[in-house]
Amino acid sequence: MSATAGPIRRKRPATARLFGPRAAHPYLLIAPAVVLVAVFLLYPVISVFWESLQNHNLTRPLDDGFAGLDNFRKMLSDGLFWRSLRFTGQWVLVEVGLQFALGLALALVLNRTFVARGMARALAFSPWAVSGILTTTIWLLLYNPTTGVGHYLASMGIGQYGTSLLSDPGTSFWALVIAELWKGIPFYAILILADLQSVPTELYEAADVDGAGVFQKFRAVTWSHIRKAVVIATLLRAVWEFNNVDLLYTMTAGGPANSTTTLPLYVAQTAIHGQNFGYGSALTVAAFLLLTFASLVYLRISKTNFEEGK
């Protein structure tokens, strides 16, 4: 019997492979996600940029219309804008720096073997699971001038009775910093501890054989393994702290005397309470551009350090 030859398959032209029905199949699969991103992400961003070029103030409807760059010119001479921008930078640097340092220390402690380590880890990470509103409620009770920490400090001769830590410009900043640290430290501890668990113990044993000290082992072994995670965690935490509104608004509402007003909080006050959507959008665009530029610079510096082996 002679074998019957099957049909000969002809190779499809390159143009058919690139532009034919089969080539469009992957794009059809991701089309719903692209549409959703365009609707819920790109459209709001474009709308904010367009709104920033408008006079849109519900308290002065007769002045509505195209304003060009007037809102941005107004911003340059707005003292509260510059004040809120300075406080935002101070808030981000202090919070991210302290959260990283204390989170790293906590992760190094929790990475060691000791009795009830699982319980200690659960307690250390529990503040991260608490909602923002509940966090502010807890700390508002702690800072209550008649029943909180200030009352007990006054009974020990520190401060005066009835003094509110949140209403004093000299103490409000650090009172807010401590409240946010309580929730932010576990974020760093979780990420760093996860990386520490993957460091081979053989590397520490080899470092001990070479006579390396504690600091040398940390720099050569520990830091080299966790630094990439630290870069990403620091960037994410900086963005979150820059956009932090719930804790600041709930605890001080930007006071006293706008001393704790961040740029996002100023945006909320201008657009929501002041009903000035045009100027509020311009402030939002400024915050977006500043945050994007700072993130790109940070990533560029981090990449350079990685390439140089620092």
Side-chain angles (χ1 to χ4, degrees):
M1 296 179 65
S2 60
T4 304
I8 299 175
R9 294 185 179 181
R10 296 182 179 180
K11 190 174 181 181
R12 299 171 65 210
T15 55
R17 292 197 301 270
L18 291 176
F19 304 105
R22 292 186 180 178
H25 187 66
Y27 300 100
L28 293 176
L29 293 177
I30 66 172
V34 173
V35 171
L36 290 176
V37 170
V39 172
F40 292 103
L41 182 62
L42 293 180
Y43 176 74
V45 171
I46 295 173
S47 298
V48 169
F49 272 83
W50 174 251
E51 189 73 16
S52 68
L53 304 176
Q54 308 293 319
N55 276 326
H56 189 185
N57 191 340
L58 295 185
T59 63
R60 303 175 64 180
L62 296 179
D63 296 334
D64 286 359
F66 185 74
L69 299 177
D70 289 348
N71 288 323
F72 296 95
R73 296 190 188 99
K74 177 184 177 182
M75 191 187 308
L76 296 177
S77 59
D78 186 355
L80 186 54
F81 164 73
W82 293 108
R83 183 176 180 177
S84 64
L85 185 59
R86 286 193 298 271
F87 178 77
T88 302
Q90 177 187 357
W91 171 260
V92 171
L93 290 175
V94 171
E95 274 295 337
V96 174
L98 290 178
Q99 287 179 23
F100 163 66
L102 297 176
L104 174 61
L106 180 60
L108 291 174
V109 171
L110 295 177
N111 191 47
R112 303 179 67 87
T113 302
F114 55 89
V115 178
R117 184 176 65 172
M119 180 66 70
R121 288 179 176 180
L123 292 175
F125 298 154
S126 59
W128 181 247
V130 179
S131 66
I133 297 300
L134 184 56
T135 298
T136 56
T137 302
I138 293 172
W139 285 96
L140 282 174
L141 292 174
L142 289 173
Y143 290 147
N144 188 288
T146 57
T147 60
V149 176
H151 177 79
Y152 293 99
L153 290 177
S155 65
M156 294 184 294
I158 304 174
Q160 299 178 351
Y161 286 102
T163 302
S164 175
L165 298 175
L166 295 174
S167 61
D168 185 355
T171 59
S172 58
F173 173 73
W174 290 107
L176 292 171
V177 166
I178 293 173
E180 183 65 11
L181 282 177
W182 181 77
K183 186 175 179 61
I185 290 174
F187 171 78
Y188 273 104
I190 292 171
L191 293 182
I192 295 175
L193 180 60
D195 255 18
L196 289 175
Q197 295 290 299
S198 64
V199 180
T201 56
E202 293 81 3
L203 296 179
Y204 291 109
E205 295 172 356
D208 289 331
V209 172
D210 292 339
V214 175
F215 177 76
Q216 291 174 321
K217 286 192 292 185
F218 174 81
R219 181 180 179 183
V221 180
T222 305
W223 181 250
S224 63
H225 278 79
I226 69 173
R227 59 179 181 173
K228 290 185 178 180
V230 168
V231 168
I232 300 301
T234 302
L235 179 60
L236 291 175
R237 200 62 193 160
V239 172
W240 290 340
E241 292 300 342
F242 184 95
N243 294 315
N244 191 331
V245 172
D246 54 350
L247 181 136
L248 296 170
Y249 180 79
T250 309
M251 297 189 70
T252 64
N258 293 315
S259 61
T260 59
T261 299
T262 58
L263 185 53
L265 187 55
Y266 185 35
V267 172
Q269 293 173 348
T270 302
I272 298 175
H273 297 292
Q275 301 293 299
N276 191 345
F277 298 108
Y279 189 53
S281 298
L283 293 171
T284 303
V285 170
F288 171 77
L289 295 177
L290 288 170
L291 194 57
T292 302
F293 176 76
S295 300
L296 293 175
V297 171
Y298 175 74
L299 290 175
R300 180 61 182 173
I301 294 175
S302 302
K303 181 180 179 180
T304 302
N305 289 338
F306 284 146
E307 292 175 349
E308 294 177 354
K310 296 182 180 180

